Amino acid sequence: MTDKLMVVIPCYNEEEVLPETARRLTEKMAALTQRGLIAPESRVLLVDDGSRDRTWELIEGLHKQNPLFEGVKLSRNRGHQNALLAGLMTARNGFDVSISMDADLQDDMDAMDRFLEKYREGCEVVYGVRRKRDTDTAFKRGTALMFYRLMRALGVDITFNHADYRLMSNRALDALSEFGEVNLFLRGLAPLVGFQSDTVVYDRSERFAGESKYPFKKMLAFAIDGITSFSVKPLRLITTVGLVIFVVSMLMLLYTLVRWAAGHTVTGWTSTLASIWMIGGIQLLSLGVIGEYVGKIYNETKRRPRFIIDRYLNQRGDPPVTDRA
């Protein structure tokens, strides 16, 4: 029996690109069905993450014109990761496998064939990995490389050059639903699910239309979330720095006593000011890192829902899922 696929696509202000995305997905889903890789009951789920443009209006139109398209409208903007999670949790109900991708047409849809072939071979999670980053600026390539290396150095199991283009089986989604943290970083959570996994390499294209939803400020915040959600090594680094400074201070105390015993009691303002600025900077940085973790603890203890679905368009009559389902 052929498995039913749900393609999950988070959308935020995507009115410029959505018609073309829908056209290409219609062709791709028909081709996959013809090849026998997916069942005819497979669907595409478009998740509107509180868009301010005509994105939801377009999703409603697509749903009326073609039963292939289903739509979820979040009650407000919750961010890419929460919108993606809402779609994946919806895909658990009645579908065997899901593929998540962005709406900007940068991800190669032809890679979906290889995703499904890997799935048929027994893989429950398949990661789409960029072959190269030629479409990125030199700055973005450099910062991305630094981010992945830093995550690896901090002990985080993360797939290099993988964003959120991945396949997950229904069993893998059930396991993902057990992770209840509010601070979402799905690229790090997916490997924690376990199960047999593999990668598919593909070439990433330029964005078809519209603007990137991840400017530098959001990318930086996303990186900080990823680091602080999966590693306590920054806290251990603060302890190490504190120990080193303590040892240095003891050596400086010994040096001062030796100078005093030798009769050289005149001290210089340069070393004093340098020490004050260095210690003050380290203290403020340490407080900032600790504050990040305390803030995450604060958010987690409140247990607020990560998403609330306002509307769910489908012809099967399924009710919308909730975050605690």
Side-chain angles (χ1 to χ4, degrees), residues 50 75 115 118:
S75 60
F115 279 20
K118 296 282 186 183

Side-chain angles (χ1 to χ4, degrees), residues 115-142:
F115 279 20
L116 292 165
E117 289 167 1
K118 296 282 186 183
Y119 169 69
R120 286 192 164 189
E121 293 170 6
C123 293
E124 309 239 24
V125 182
V126 182
Y127 303 99
V129 176
R130 297 176 61 169
R131 191 185 312 275
K132 48 191 176 182
R133 306 187 71 99
D134 291 350
T135 57
D136 292 342
T137 63
F139 175 77
K140 190 170 183 179
R141 282 197 301 271

Side-chain angles (χ1 to χ4, degrees), residues 125-195:
V125 182
V126 182
Y127 303 99
V129 176
R130 297 176 61 169
R131 191 185 312 275
K132 48 191 176 182
R133 306 187 71 99
D134 291 350
T135 57
D136 292 342
T137 63
F139 175 77
K140 190 170 183 179
R141 282 197 301 271
T143 53
L145 179 63
M146 184 171 61
F147 169 72
Y148 284 111
R149 287 180 175 175
L150 179 59
M151 293 291 280
R152 288 282 181 87
L154 293 175
V156 181
D157 184 10
I158 188 170
T159 304
F160 190 76
N161 274 343
H162 164 69
D164 286 301
Y165 190 22
R166 76 177 70 87
L167 174 148
M168 297 188 76
S169 69
N170 189 271
R171 191 162 77 110
L173 290 179
D174 286 340
L176 180 65
S177 69
E178 297 295 323
F179 293 85
E181 55 250 58
V182 174
N183 302 283
L184 281 178
F185 185 70
L186 293 175
R187 301 179 197 184
L189 285 178
L192 294 182
V193 167
F195 303 137

Side-chain angles (χ1 to χ4, degrees), residues 221-276:
F222 187 61
I224 292 173
D225 278 343
I227 292 170
T228 54
S229 294
F230 286 87
S231 177
V232 296
K233 285 190 177 181
L235 293 175
R236 292 173 182 166
L237 180 61
I238 290 174
T239 303
T240 303
V241 171
L243 180 62
V244 170
I245 291 176
F246 173 74
V247 172
V248 172
S249 65
M250 294 302 294
L251 293 174
M252 289 300 297
L253 176 61
L254 180 61
Y255 170 75
T256 303
L257 291 175
V258 170
R259 295 279 294 178
W260 174 77
H264 303 289
T265 56
V266 178
T267 56
W269 64 271
T270 303
S271 58
T272 303
L273 285 179
S275 299
I276 291 173

Side-chain angles (χ1 to χ4, degrees), residues 64 67 94 102 107 132 163 231 233 251-252 261 284 290 297:
K64 291 177 181 178
D102 291 334
D107 297 323
K132 48 191 176 182
S231 177
K233 285 190 177 181
L251 293 174
M252 289 300 297
L284 289 174
I290 294 171
I297 294 171

